[in-house]
Amino acid sequence: MFKRIVLVSTALSLVAVPVSAQTYGGRSLSGKTHVERAIGKCAASLLIGGLLGAGIGAAAGDTRRGALIGLGAGAVVCAVLVSAASSKDKAALRAAQLEALNSGAEQTVAWQTEQGQLARTVVSPSAPGSVLLSQAGSLQCRQDDMCRVGDSWYPKADILAGNAAPNAPKLVKASFTNAQQLVCRRAHVSMSIDGSAATDGTDVSCLVGDTWITGDELKKHKINEAHVTA
């Protein structure tokens, strides 16, 4: 699938790049990353576009030409993006993202496909943020450390201490139960093919134990991305 994979930390280049003094020990990354989600969407669009185009072409007597028309102008980039879906490709991409989340330093992974096309992904992490997670799910918190439970706001310290009043509503008690503050990062992820943008977006990841969770895993842990502070 590829001839060469190179993993580079920009913090190791000749130009000094400041790196956060605090690093994190996440040992693994769980959940689909932005690139993996983009690959999945691309694969689906190629399949649907090809099938629809083939149907149109069949009616006109030229199935192959119809399929190519159905794929559309973005089919070439999309096809190359899908070609980066091997287990080794994904392992390299995920390793770059894990290192970026742990170190806070920008990471670059680049490789050459069998067709000679250069694929390049850059992961640029934000400074560490946080989210308050309780039994009821993640909570929205303000800069003044007041967090929303239902229609009311409570001090974050009280929530973390579990100091819910005995007669508090069930939602409040659940929100005060096993509350913990997780370290989170937003990471801008861009991928290019032969210098042309293939996908560009943002991942939100939070450290749960020794695992950074992202994508679909955030929902499984009842974490709302909008509640993560930058």
Side-chain angles (χ1 to χ4, degrees):
M1 179 59 65
F2 58 89
K3 294 181 180 178
R4 182 183 72 245
I5 287 184
V6 181
L7 182 61
V8 181
S9 168
T10 55
L12 299 180
S13 61
L14 294 178
V15 180
V17 178
V19 180
S20 171
Q22 188 172 14
T23 58
Y24 300 91
R27 297 181 181 178
S28 61
L29 178 67
S30 179
K32 291 183 179 179
T33 66
H34 166 75
V35 172
E36 289 168 333
R37 294 194 297 272
I39 289 173
K41 290 178 181 178
C42 236
S45 66
L46 285 174
L47 177 61
I48 294 172
L51 290 175
L52 289 176
I56 295 172
D62 190 343
T63 302
R64 184 173 180 276
R65 185 169 181 274
L68 292 175
I69 293 173
L71 291 176
V76 174
V77 171
C78 215
V80 175
L81 183 59
V82 171
S83 75
S86 75
S87 58
K88 287 188 177 181
D89 293 332
K90 287 182 179 179
L93 295 170
R94 293 174 74 84
Q97 190 144 339
L98 180 60
E99 180 60 25
L101 292 171
N102 280 336
S103 68
E106 184 176 276
Q107 302 293 316
T108 298
V109 59
W111 72 97
Q112 193 172 29
T113 67
E114 291 180 348
Q115 293 77 25
Q117 294 153 313
L118 181 63
R120 184 172 183 267
T121 296
V122 179
V123 184
S124 304
S126 70
S130 65
V131 71
L132 188 61
L133 181 63
S134 72
Q135 192 177 69
S138 65
L139 303 179
Q140 176 188 359
C141 296
R142 303 187 310 217
Q143 292 294 329
D144 61 358
D145 282 340
M146 296 293 287
C147 301
R148 185 174 183 174
V149 179
D151 295 326
S152 302
W153 294 84
Y154 298 84
K156 182 187 291 185
D158 286 350
I159 296 175
L160 287 171
N163 295 330
N167 60 344
K170 289 183 179 179
L171 177 61
V172 173
K173 289 182 178 180
S175 298
F176 280 52
T177 301
N178 299 324
Q180 57 181 316
Q181 186 158 291
L182 303 178
V183 172
C184 302
R185 284 192 193 276
R186 297 181 187 275
H188 180 260
V189 185
S190 63
M191 185 174 186
S192 62
I193 306 295
D194 279 346
S196 299
T199 185
D200 186 89
T202 301
D203 265 336
V204 174
S205 304
C206 296
L207 188 60
V208 178
D210 62 357
T211 301
W212 287 95
I213 62 171
T214 191
D216 49 321
E217 285 294 318
L218 286 176
K219 294 181 180 179
K220 292 180 182 179
H221 283 76
K222 298 180 181 180
I223 296 175
N224 184 336
E225 291 185 20
H227 294 163
V228 175
T229 62

